[in-house]
Structures are given as C-alpha cells and as structure tokens.
Amino acid sequence: QVQLVESGGGLVEAGGSLRLSCTASRSIFRINAMGWYRQAPGKQRELVAAITSGGSTNYADSVKGRFTISRDNAKNTVYLQMNSLKPEDTAVYYCNADAFVLSPMRNLEVWGQGTLVTVSS
C-alpha cells in the first residue's frame, strides 16, 4: 500500500510541546518533498511546514520560531516538533508527500489520514 501514517497528536496545554511523526510505506521509493498541513474547524487546509529531500525547509509565518520540521531518510520519516503551542494551533495535522513509487512506476501525491492536535488554554 502507498500510504503515510501520522502519529504523535494529542491534547496539550498552551505552552506545551508535541512531536508529530509521519512514516511513509516502503512502497514509496523516493520522496521528493514532504510537508505538514493542518485544518482547523471551519477553516481551509493550510501548509504548516515542508522539507525537500535535500533538507531545504519552509514554514508558515504563524509557526516560525516555534515549529521545526526534520527528516530521517533511513526511516522514511518526517517529524514536526511543535513547541510553545497555542490554542490557535488546534487542528487536524496531515502529512503530505510528493512521492515516486514503483508499483506501478509513477509520481503521485499522498496524504495521511491526519492526527488531531488539541491545545487547551
């Protein structure tokens, strides 16, 4: 199966931290870029952070200085370290990958099912 599996969401108090993980299935041969998106109730899904296979990163202005995206290519995993969490960070967080797969050979965009992050005030 071609899939991304997220984990690490949960309930935290404002000012707390969480680390989200997103692991790609082994059917994904190469990941060109991975990113974290989030969607809060009544809002559009937005890009939070992204990282290329070469390690280049970018962040939404709202999370700069608080969130850090990183990768472990050996584990085929991307992480999102979230510090100084705010109630407005509450959302379902989705992992996204621009991937190359082999069966059949093709490029495609893959989305995870999401993990809920709730930040209480």
Side-chain angles (χ1 to χ4, degrees), residues 46-119:
E46 64 175 344
L47 176 66
V48 177
I51 187 168
T52 68
S53 59
S56 179
T57 61
N58 64 81
Y59 299 90
D61 288 341
S62 60
V63 306
K64 286 181 179 177
R66 299 189 298 119
F67 291 10
T68 302
I69 188 169
S70 61
R71 58 172 171 77
D72 185 334
N73 290 336
K75 296 181 178 180
N76 220 21
T77 298
V78 65
Y79 304 95
L80 185 67
Q81 179 66 46
M82 305 185 294
N83 298 325
S84 301
L85 284 162
K86 304 175 180 179
E88 51 263 44
D89 295 319
T90 295
V92 177
Y93 284 70
Y94 298 91
C95 184
N96 171 266
D98 176 17
F100 178 75
V101 301
L102 298 177
S103 301
M105 190 180 298
R106 65 196 187 280
N107 288 294
L108 78 165
E109 186 178 53
V110 186
W111 288 91
Q113 293 299 303
T115 185
L116 177 63
V117 172
T118 302
V119 184

